Amino acid sequence: MIARNITDSIKKHLLKFPAVAILGARQVGKTTLAKQIAKTMKQGSVYLDLEKTSDANKLSDAEHYLSLHSDKCIIIDEVQIKPELFSLMRALIDEKRKPGRFLLLGSVSPELIKGVSQSLAGRIMITEMSTISLTEIPKTISFHRHWFRGGFPEAITAKTNRDFSDWMDNYIATYINKDLQFLFGTGISKSVMQNFWLMLGNHTSQIWNAQAYAKSLGVTSPTISRYLDLLEAGYIIRKLPSYHVNAKKRLIKASKVYVRDSGLIHRLVRVHDYENIFESLVAGSSWESYVVEQVAQLKHKDIDLYYYRTHGGAECDLVFVRGIKVIACAEIKLSANAAISKGYYESIADLKSKNNFIITMEGENYLTSNNIRYCPLVIFVTKYLPTL
């Protein structure tokens, strides 16, 4: 099993909060992590998977069942299936307030787990579990494989590329044909969603244009925007907002959209091995998506990420903001020899950033005469990102 960075923080939260929630994409490893943590808990645990009829039936009289196990940590998987449990858990926690009573696992974002924020406010700590990050991969797995296959545990540890492709094909089919209906209900066209995924894979890292997608797919702009929101809630895509504080400039304000897992991107566009990435049309956009996801996973929680682009040509891939202050800017380049664009210089001047980077795949780590640092992604996330 691959060790996960959030393990220690989850254990600490369970010592402080009556309820802890781990949210993340399907098949990201939430259940495995929860069961591993449960083995270390002195009070013992009970595990319920609400996708299993037998476990769901145990909660037909939920108050009675949960009260029977009040001395244990109750792990509830796919908790969003029974949102009515949240108000009950609040009452049970208030009757007997002690840490580590509930460990909740879910595959949709907090906004779609109705009532969790209101019902369990002050009683719950919510943590996102992402795919396996660059800093979590063991030494036996190369950085190149991580970029090609992405971070789903079954995908990155598959014995062969064919096994990886088969697993990813099954993940895509299951998510579109079953999971979307399960997580969000009916009213989702499977054929439109499948074509939407293909378009997102081919256009990852692009600025969102609902009208263009809607026209290509034969639906309305509100419909395709709803589909995008569902994929964001299911941790499939990431929206990167535009930084538009500078009112003196004509700024592009629409978000950029990234497919979060690079392995998913490569399977959607039929990249069959690592070398094939560089022969594809998505090499640059895939690399940008990969970098953004790694940075988003590993940055300090007090840092917000944006991109910056003006109609005049100034452009910056990543803007790091703490509070209202820009603390760093970064351009993402596949080549270590890429020249610094005029638009990036203009962005640095507009944003008055003191720490500026060119994040590359490989190459040297050095500072230019203009105080812009070239460095490979691995060095950036391990040496410079923690200091921002």
Side-chain angles (χ1 to χ4, degrees):
M1 177 181 171
I2 297 175
R4 305 306 302 269
N5 291 338
I6 66 168
T7 302
D8 288 342
S9 64
I10 296 296
K11 290 180 179 179
K12 290 177 182 178
H13 295 331
L14 286 167
L15 295 174
K16 294 180 180 179
F17 293 87
V20 174
I22 306 175
L23 305 182
R26 305 280 269 180
Q27 301 296 318
V28 81
K30 300 184 298 294
T31 303
T32 301
L33 178 63
K35 289 182 176 180
Q36 178 193 17
I37 290 173
K39 292 177 181 178
T40 68
M41 302 185 73
K42 295 180 180 179
Q43 73 265 43
S45 64
V46 174
Y47 174 79
L48 299 171
D49 181 355
L50 296 189
E51 285 191 280
K52 291 177 61 177
T53 303
S54 58
D55 282 354
N57 287 341
K58 293 176 182 177
L59 296 179
S60 57
D61 186 349
E63 182 176 355
H64 175 70
Y65 184 86
L66 297 180
S67 297
L68 282 177
H69 299 284
S70 62
D71 58 331
K72 298 177 182 177
C73 177
I74 302 173
I75 304 170
I76 305 178
D77 212 338
E78 300 301 345
V79 68
Q80 73 277 348
I81 295 175
K82 286 184 173 291
E84 64 272 18
L85 289 176
F86 297 129
S87 57
L88 173 59
M89 283 188 281
R90 177 189 62 192
L92 293 175
I93 288 170
D94 290 347
E95 287 177 3
K96 185 178 181 181
R97 192 178 183 99
K98 68 173 186 176
R101 287 199 63 180
F102 298 99
L103 179 56
L104 311 176
L105 314 180
S107 299
V108 293
S109 61
E111 291 78 9
L112 288 183
I113 300 182
K114 296 179 181 180
V116 65
S117 298
Q118 295 82 1
S119 298
L120 295 175
R123 304 165 181 86
I124 189 168
M125 172 60 73
I126 299 174
T127 301
E128 178 184 337
M129 184 175 184
S130 301
T131 52
I132 294 167
S133 75
L134 181 57
T135 62
E136 291 173 319
I137 57 174
K139 294 180 180 179
T140 54
I141 296 177
S142 70
F143 152 72
H144 294 161
R145 180 198 279 193
H146 188 239
W147 176 27
F148 167 58
R149 292 191 183 180
F152 285 104
E154 294 291 332
I156 198 172
T157 58
K159 290 184 178 180
T160 67
N161 286 341
R162 175 62 63 86
D163 291 338
F164 153 73
S165 297
D166 290 344
W167 185 90
M168 193 60 78
D169 285 345
N170 182 67
Y171 183 86
I172 294 168
T174 301
Y175 203 99
I176 292 173
N177 295 322
K178 177 185 175 184
D179 290 346
L180 280 168
Q181 306 291 330
F182 172 75
L183 293 172
F184 304 111
T186 58
I188 301 170
S189 168
K190 295 177 183 178
S191 59
V192 172
M193 184 62 81
Q194 183 171 5
N195 290 329
F196 186 35
W197 277 46
L198 293 173
M199 289 186 68
L200 288 171
N202 280 281
H203 296 90
T204 184
S205 83
Q206 300 301 307
I207 294 173
W208 174 244
N209 184 332
Q211 289 183 336
Y213 276 92
K215 183 177 180 180
S216 296
L217 294 169
V219 296
T220 65
S221 293
T223 295
I224 207 62
S225 293
R226 173 175 174 261
Y227 280 21
L228 187 75
D229 290 341
L230 295 182
L231 294 181
E232 182 183 27
Y235 302 95
I236 299 299
I237 66 99
R238 182 184 296 277
K239 293 178 185 175
L240 188 67
S242 164
Y243 188 76
H244 48 264
V245 172
N246 191 338
K248 297 179 181 179
K249 300 282 185 175
R250 291 183 62 242
L251 304 173
I252 294 174
K253 296 184 179 180
S255 296
K256 275 188 173 185
V257 174
Y258 296 90
V259 176
R260 293 184 58 166
D261 186 70
S262 55
L264 180 56
I265 295 171
H266 296 145
R267 191 57 196 150
L268 287 170
V269 302
R270 293 301 185 260
V271 171
H272 299 293
D273 55 41
Y274 173 74
E275 289 73 19
N276 194 221
I277 296 175
F278 302 94
E279 301 169 2
S280 72
L281 297 176
V282 300
S285 57
S286 166
W287 174 247
E288 183 178 333
S289 299
Y290 177 72
V291 172
V292 168
E293 183 61 22
Q294 298 310 305
V295 171
Q297 288 186 25
L298 298 170
K299 70 175 181 64
H300 192 276
K301 63 181 180 180
D302 290 342
I303 295 177
D304 296 312
L305 294 179
Y306 302 86
Y307 83 94
Y308 180 76
R309 185 177 296 183
T310 72
H311 288 278
E315 183 176 2
C316 175
D317 293 326
L318 281 175
V319 181
F320 299 77
V321 179
R322 179 178 285 112
I324 60 172
K325 183 179 180 181
V326 173
I327 59 174
C329 288
E331 270 289 279
I332 300 168
K333 299 293 185 182
L334 188 56
S335 171
N337 300 316
I340 301 174
S341 67
K342 179 182 177 182
Y344 186 42
Y345 283 122
E346 291 177 356
S347 297
I348 292 171
D350 289 347
L351 300 172
K352 298 179 174 57
S353 172
K354 302 297 183 182
N355 302 289
N356 303 297
F357 300 88
I358 304 290
I359 302 174
T360 62
M361 187 180 77
E362 294 172 333
E364 293 183 68
N365 173 22
Y366 65 96
L367 198 63
T368 70
S369 58
N370 294 308
N371 204 36
I372 297 175
R373 181 171 294 280
Y374 277 77
C375 65
L377 174 62
V378 175
I379 294 177
F380 178 77
V381 298
T382 56
K383 182 175 182 179
Y384 298 111
L385 184 59
T387 66
L388 294 180

